[in-house]
Amino acid sequence: MAVHFHEEDLPEGVLTGTSPLAVDTETMGLITHRDRLCLVQISDGSGDEHLVRFNPGSAYDAPNLKAVLADPARIKLYHYARFDLAAIEYYLGVMAAPVFCTKIASKLTRTYTDRHGLKNLVNELLGAEISKQQQSSDWGGPELSPAQRDYAASDVRFLHAMRDKLIPRLEREGRLEMAQACFDFLPTRARLDMAGWAEHDIFSHA
Ligand code: MN
């Protein structure tokens, strides 16, 4: 159980198995084309997390990371995939699918609450505590603090275990197929955001 820190790419031969990968990103903000991608976090569920940091002005030339993210045989687990997929495609040029999104799975099953944040979900499903204190910190600096590294790693630490809890709930409520269809649409949803339909719901009547 360790957090591994890398600059500009994953080392060769890391995370090259076939298991699903938990993925998260940290950026300079919420406006993808303005706010650069600073960090990609990945875990294969074995207990280690890998953090890949990108410097200001990075060329995002990260062949090992891109190959792992783009592998169509590996499911990528996210909490709110919509944002991460857009950031990854915009900066790294790959669509990091196929997808399982724990936020969507939560919304389709935990209909008794409107609290679908990662912290709430981790606490209810796994009884674990994560801190969100570093969420809105400066991810663009030359050094990430120990608190930032631990926060970044914790964002991918629980996604495999949560997927294992959420799939039976989706099955129980008869919504697994609908959830899968939503996951399959997420790359398009992210592309709609980047193409100018972020706020406009193309499915609405208006
Ligand atoms: Mn995060």
Side-chain angles (χ1 to χ4, degrees):
M1 309 273 265
V3 180
H4 304 274
F5 189 77
H6 314 288
E7 295 278 0
E8 299 290 330
D9 197 4
L10 283 175
E12 212 170 319
V14 167
L15 296 172
T16 50
T18 56
S19 56
L21 294 168
V23 180
D24 187 35
T25 64
E26 305 300 336
T27 65
M28 287 303 291
L30 298 178
I31 301 175
T32 298
H33 61 264
R34 182 191 69 185
D35 302 326
R36 67 184 172 87
L37 176 67
C38 298
L39 193 70
V40 177
Q41 307 101 281
I42 312 188
S43 170
D44 64 1
S46 65
D48 288 357
E49 294 93 26
H50 294 267
L51 313 182
V52 181
R53 194 183 79 103
F54 294 99
N55 287 285
S58 174
Y60 295 101
D61 180 24
N64 299 326
L65 176 63
K66 291 179 192 184
V68 163
L69 289 174
D71 186 346
R74 297 185 90 171
I75 296 171
K76 266 66 73 175
L77 320 177
Y78 304 85
H79 189 74
Y80 199 54
R82 181 175 168 180
F83 180 83
D84 300 304
L85 290 176
I88 289 168
E89 184 170 56
Y90 187 78
Y91 287 98
L92 292 168
V94 296
M95 182 47 72
V99 171
F100 185 100
C101 178
T102 54
K103 184 166 239 175
I104 286 174
S106 175
K107 287 183 175 178
L108 289 175
T109 53
R110 296 172 65 249
T111 41
Y112 46 83
T113 179
D114 58 1
R115 294 164 72 90
H116 300 289
L118 183 66
K119 185 180 165 70
N120 279 298
L121 202 55
V122 165
N123 186 251
E124 186 189 305
L125 296 183
L126 304 173
E129 288 291 340
I130 57 168
S131 167
K132 277 282 162 190
Q133 223 169 13
Q134 298 297 320
Q135 184 165 34
S136 48
S137 65
D138 179 9
W139 294 99
E143 293 292 332
L144 295 181
S145 69
Q148 281 181 309
R149 291 183 190 213
D150 189 57
Y151 163 77
S154 73
D155 270 356
V156 291
R157 189 168 294 149
F158 299 102
L159 298 182
H160 289 81
M162 293 211 296
R163 176 174 176 254
D164 291 345
K165 298 271 186 186
L166 287 163
I167 286 175
R169 291 205 192 193
L170 286 164
E171 286 172 335
R172 188 189 76 197
E173 301 302 325
R175 293 180 190 147
L176 186 59
E177 202 181 322
M178 192 157 53
Q180 189 58 54
C182 293
F183 302 153
D184 293 343
F185 178 67
L186 272 163
T188 304
R189 180 62 268 189
R191 284 171 177 156
L192 283 165
D193 287 344
M194 296 306 293
W197 285 275
E199 301 304 325
H200 192 93
D201 176 8
I202 58 164
F203 295 106
S204 72
H205 181 261

